[in-house]
Amino acid sequence: MSQLRSMYPPIEPYSAGTLDVGEGYRVYYERVGTPGAKPAVFLHGGPGGGLSPEHRRLFDPNRYDVMLFDQRGCGQSTPYAGLEANTTWHLVSDIERLRALAGVDKWLVFGGSWGSTLALAYAETHPDRVSELVLRGVYTVTKAELQWYYQFGVSEIFPEKWEKFQAPIPLSERGDMIAAYRSRLTGDDRATQLEAAKAWAIWEGETITLLPNPAFSTSFGDDQFALAFARLENHYFVHDCWLEDGQLLRNAHRLRGIPGAIVHGRYDMPCPARYAYALHRAWPDAAFHLVEGAGHAWSEPGILDQLVRATDRFATAP
């Protein structure tokens, strides 16, 4: 068996800045790798997850010129945790603005979790701007997927963690957890808002890996991170991410001719594997890798191995 691939060495951006995308938002971006090499854009998860320096390390810096950015309302973008004028389609437009800034006709689009949702929305809207698609932890944001993670499903696998997720919500409101959290995350009471944000974020941080990872409990529970992460995720999910139910799978025919890779953990809790498999059936141009012994996180060894292999494989494509 071949050795598992891991990340490339740490790298600093060769340039960084902010782009005024309108409606009062400035989006932070950074570029890493070799200027003028194969163009790529990295779409982080969440919504609201923001960038990590480790995201830069998923691409061979000698063969790629990668644009990474913090989506509206999170990371180093401003205003922080902003919800107004913050929708899937605003972000799709932002990606196009960044592509124009990069001065490229098309690029490889890499997205994981919510980033896979955004990547699909972008690619189905602008297929002529996508050279390849690399998707991890596919999430198509159907009502069934939202119910599975926030109402009934994962609750049966992690009952003790579900109990903590329910704790800030009175029994009378637990029939719609997303709506109940919405009222607290957008309310005026700062203490209530922060309590809800941390409970929401920790629920995710503690259910995304196959085996427990205390580092995720700590990072997701950080006050500043949790506030944007929870507010933005909840804001998007309350609105079904401004997508019709099943829209991304129905429109997968628009991806025809785009090479790709779908990488998904067999035991991915937030994003059930059946939707990744359905995308694979609808988009045969993509290689499908259902990784055994893996959950949702991109950093799990089997998932990371397939992601780096995918970016390496596409590095030499025109």
Side-chain angles (χ1 to χ4, degrees):
M1 183 177 176
S2 59
Q3 186 174 2
L4 290 176
R5 297 297 307 280
S6 60
M7 291 183 286
Y8 282 93
I11 186 171
E12 292 299 314
Y14 69 78
S15 77
T18 60
L19 179 65
D20 185 345
V21 293
E23 294 92 24
Y25 284 92
R26 296 195 70 88
V27 165
Y28 169 81
Y29 68 87
E30 55 188 40
R31 300 183 69 179
V32 301
T34 301
K38 183 180 178 70
V41 62
F42 177 87
L43 308 179
H44 67 66
L51 294 179
S52 159
E54 293 186 330
H55 294 149
R56 306 168 187 160
R57 303 171 58 190
L58 293 164
F59 305 84
D60 181 343
N62 294 315
R63 299 193 288 172
Y64 276 97
D65 183 354
V66 188
M67 172 80 75
L68 305 94
F69 71 101
D70 285 319
Q71 295 158 29
R72 294 188 184 203
C74 65
Q76 297 182 64
S77 293
T78 57
Y80 194 73
L83 304 183
E84 296 299 320
N86 195 340
T87 73
T88 302
W89 305 112
H90 284 99
L91 299 187
V92 166
S93 295
D94 292 349
I95 298 169
E96 273 295 272
R97 290 187 180 96
L98 289 163
R99 184 190 58 77
L101 178 70
V104 299
D105 288 331
K106 57 172 57 180
W107 49 7
L108 178 147
V109 179
F110 183 118
S113 192
W114 155 253
S116 76
T117 317
L118 183 56
L120 286 168
Y122 175 75
E124 291 176 3
T125 305
H126 301 287
D128 56 326
R129 299 304 186 185
V130 180
S131 57
E132 300 90 11
L133 264 178
V134 177
L135 305 179
R136 186 270 310 167
V138 168
Y139 199 48
T140 65
V141 203
T142 59
K143 293 185 185 300
E145 286 165 280
L146 290 169
Q147 287 283 306
W148 164 260
Y149 196 53
Y150 292 108
Q151 204 60 50
F152 182 84
V154 181
S155 58
E156 305 298 283
I157 312 299
F158 292 100
E160 80 288 9
K161 300 183 190 307
W162 180 250
E163 187 175 59
K164 292 178 183 177
F165 180 63
Q166 286 186 312
I169 308 302
L171 188 62
S172 60
E173 296 181 52
R174 291 180 184 175
D176 188 341
M177 292 292 287
I178 294 177
Y181 264 94
R182 169 76 170 182
S183 66
R184 286 151 183 82
L185 290 167
T186 58
D188 296 329
D189 187 299
R190 176 71 175 182
T192 299
Q193 190 180 66
L194 193 57
E195 178 195 25
K198 292 180 71 166
W200 178 284
I202 288 171
W203 163 246
E204 184 155 335
E206 293 190 345
T207 55
I208 58 174
T209 52
L210 180 69
L211 299 175
N213 185 335
F216 282 119
S217 303
T218 302
S219 61
F220 277 70
D222 173 78
D223 289 6
Q224 180 76 353
F225 174 85
L227 193 62
F229 184 79
R231 276 171 57 85
L232 285 165
E233 271 203 343
N234 180 270
H235 169 67
Y236 271 69
F237 296 159
V238 159
H239 293 98
D240 300 319
C241 294
W242 296 271
L243 297 165
E244 296 174 6
D245 201 38
Q247 176 178 336
L248 295 178
L249 285 173
R250 272 199 312 277
N251 291 341
H253 62 90
R254 297 180 183 175
L255 307 176
R256 188 172 297 126
I258 299 175
I262 299 168
V263 180
H264 204 95
R266 170 75 75 182
Y267 303 105
D268 187 323
M269 287 293 113
C271 306
R274 63 174 292 189
Y275 299 94
Y277 187 69
L279 179 63
H280 157 61
R281 297 298 298 270
W283 175 38
D285 298 276
F288 180 60
H289 306 281
L290 189 58
V291 182
E292 301 293 349
H296 179 69
W298 67 268
S299 54
E300 294 188 68
I303 293 176
L304 178 59
D305 170 69
Q306 289 295 345
L307 292 176
V308 174
R309 288 179 188 276
T311 58
D312 279 359
R313 187 164 65 251
F314 293 134
T316 54

